[in-house]
């Protein structure tokens, strides 16, 4: 099966690192023009490096700085992308952070930062994307769907996570956001899905894999017995964004080496 996203424009939020970089490279390799979003001046070099890897491999795209938790900046990003490329076909709502703390010690700032980026950021980007999909309508030279949104959620949309209440709450909420949008805009042929990664090797969870002891302990949670790579998520994102997935909407798809089978029950619980 050959998958092509040619003629399609994809915004990937938080594409300067980790899973977002993997998705951006995979979408570009499939022919999409990719907007490599990053949040601040600190991440500009990383974002430019991602774009260079994309263009060196024959792909196309631009770098765009925007904090997804800022309504003004998100609206500006969509306006700029639409004015440069005509429209947007695919939104990958990926940007996310962790601010971990024992619950009774969690500050309001830690709570708000995670909710603002992980949840409100996905709301703001999805809203602008859907407005643009509806304005453009279906153009079958691009895709049989009017538009595609992929939320990057987590296994923690179903696995509670002590010490990470803000993060788990943001991911649980993404499930309902995703399903509600799939329901509300299904008749408009807008497809909305979530990818729920398990343990993927990126900077966000470095302390879970950077020493042999940590990696051993992590593998006790992963029946498939390897850590995931950003391209494991990128491969699914390409398929989900393509017309091969045209009947998939409202789904949370877990890419987790069977983590959500709850390995601790493998010896009888
Ligand atoms: P990462 O830290 O490598 O990348 C996060 C990206 O988000 C970075 O590019 C960062 O600059 C960007 N970002 C942060 N705040 C932003 C903002 N305000 N505006 C725009 N961009 C912003 O982490 P990652 O592991 O690649 O995480 C990506 C997504 O995958 C997150 O939503 C995370 O919750 C989710 N996830 C990761 C794992 C994992 O094991 N790595 C597992 C499940 C879910």
């Amino acid at each position: 099966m050959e998958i092509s996203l040619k003629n399609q424009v994809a915004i990937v939020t938080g594409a300067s690192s980790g899973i977002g970089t993997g998705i951006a490279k995979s979408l570009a390799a499939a022919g999409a023009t990719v907007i490599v979003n990053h949040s601040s001046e600190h991440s500009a070099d990383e974002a430019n490096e991602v774009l260079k890897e994309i263009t060196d491999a024959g792909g196309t795209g631009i770098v765009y700085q925007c904090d997804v938790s800022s309504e003004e900046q998100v609206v500006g990003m969509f306006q700029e992308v639409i004015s440069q490329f005509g429209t947007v076909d695919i939104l990958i709502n990926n940007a996310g952070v962790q601010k971990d703390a024992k619950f009774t010690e969690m500050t309001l700032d830690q709570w708000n930062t995670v909710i603002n980026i992980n949840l409100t950021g996905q709301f703001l980007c999805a809203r602008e994307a859907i407005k643009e999909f509806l304005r453009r309508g279906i153009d079958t030279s691009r895709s049989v769907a009017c538009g595609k949104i992929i939320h990057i959620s987590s296994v923690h949309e179903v696995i509670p996570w002590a010490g990470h209440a803000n993060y788990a709450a943001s991911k649980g909420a993404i499930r309902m956001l995703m399903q509600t949008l799939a329901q509300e805009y299904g008749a408009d042929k807008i497809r909305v899905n979530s990818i729920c990664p398990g343990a993927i090797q990126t900077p966000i969870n470095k302390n879970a894999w950077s020493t042999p002891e940590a990696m051993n302990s992590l593998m006790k949670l992963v029946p498939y017995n390897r850590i995931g790579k950003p391209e494991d998520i990128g491969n699914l994102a390409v398929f989900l964004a393509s017309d091969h997935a045209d009947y998939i909407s409202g789904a949370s798809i877990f890419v987790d080496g069977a983590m959500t089978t709850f390995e601790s029950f493998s010896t009888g619980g």
Side-chain angles (χ1 to χ4, degrees):
M1 177 169 54
E2 199 173 306
I3 301 183
S4 171
L5 300 175
K6 260 180 103 173
N7 301 327
Q8 298 197 53
V9 178
I11 294 179
V12 183
T13 66
S16 59
S17 173
I19 290 173
T21 296
I23 294 174
K25 287 179 8 190
S26 297
L27 294 178
T33 295
V34 175
I35 288 53
V36 177
N37 161 251
H38 69 104
S39 57
S40 67
E41 276 165 31
H42 302 298
S43 45
D45 287 350
E46 287 177 323
N48 284 318
E49 183 54 36
V50 174
L51 181 62
K52 183 173 181 309
E53 286 179 42
I54 285 173
T55 52
D56 285 353
T60 54
I62 58 164
V63 163
Y64 194 93
Q65 183 186 327
C66 156
D67 173 352
V68 296
S69 66
S70 156
E71 181 173 32
E72 191 189 350
Q73 291 183 35
V74 169
V75 169
M77 174 168 71
F78 277 81
Q79 279 172 348
E80 177 58 29
V81 171
I82 293 161
S83 98
Q84 266 198 53
F85 300 105
T87 190
V88 176
D89 302 275
I90 300 161
L91 166 66
I92 311 287
N93 251 336
N94 166 77
V97 294
Q98 285 181 218
K99 299 283 173 200
D100 309 329
K102 193 170 161 49
F103 188 65
T104 48
E105 284 152 27
M106 187 173 283
T107 63
L108 181 59
D109 189 50
Q110 287 172 316
W111 174 268
N112 282 341
T113 300
V114 170
I115 298 297
N116 288 346
I117 296 172
N118 296 16
L119 181 58
T120 307
Q122 295 217 6
F123 153 69
L124 291 170
C125 292
R127 190 186 62 183
E128 295 314 302
I130 291 174
K131 281 191 210 162
E132 172 55 17
F133 298 161
L134 295 174
R135 183 202 65 78
R136 170 180 27 81
I138 297 172
D139 172 355
T140 51
S141 70
R142 313 173 77 87
S143 172
V144 296
C146 186
K148 284 89 50 152
I149 296 177
I150 299 172
H151 298 275
I152 303 304
S153 178
S154 167
V155 289
H156 295 295
E157 76 168 43
V158 295
I159 304 179
W161 202 14
H164 308 259
N166 47 2
Y167 185 84
S170 74
K171 296 302 184 178
I174 285 171
R175 184 184 182 92
M176 278 295 118
L177 173 65
M178 177 277 289
Q179 289 192 309
T180 301
L181 297 182
Q183 188 188 66
E184 194 166 334
Y185 292 100
D188 297 297
K189 295 201 64 91
I190 294 171
R191 292 194 297 107
V192 190
N193 293 289
S194 288
I195 298 178
C196 302
I200 310 296
Q201 193 161 19
T202 76
I204 208 174
N205 56 1
K206 195 160 184 239
N207 59 0
W209 51 261
S210 53
T211 65
E213 298 74 33
M215 185 65 101
N216 277 340
S217 157
L218 180 64
M219 285 307 104
K220 293 198 176 86
L221 303 174
V222 185
Y224 202 62
N225 207 32
R226 78 162 169 87
I227 193 162
K229 303 282 180 198
E231 54 266 34
D232 292 316
I233 308 301
N235 289 337
L236 177 59
V238 168
F239 174 73
L240 271 182
S242 79
D243 286 351
H244 292 284
D246 190 53
Y247 205 49
I248 304 178
S249 193
S252 285
I253 303 180
F254 290 78
V255 181
D256 67 352
M259 184 186 265
T260 34
T261 64
F262 299 97
E263 170 79 347
S264 54
F265 279 84
S266 63
T267 51

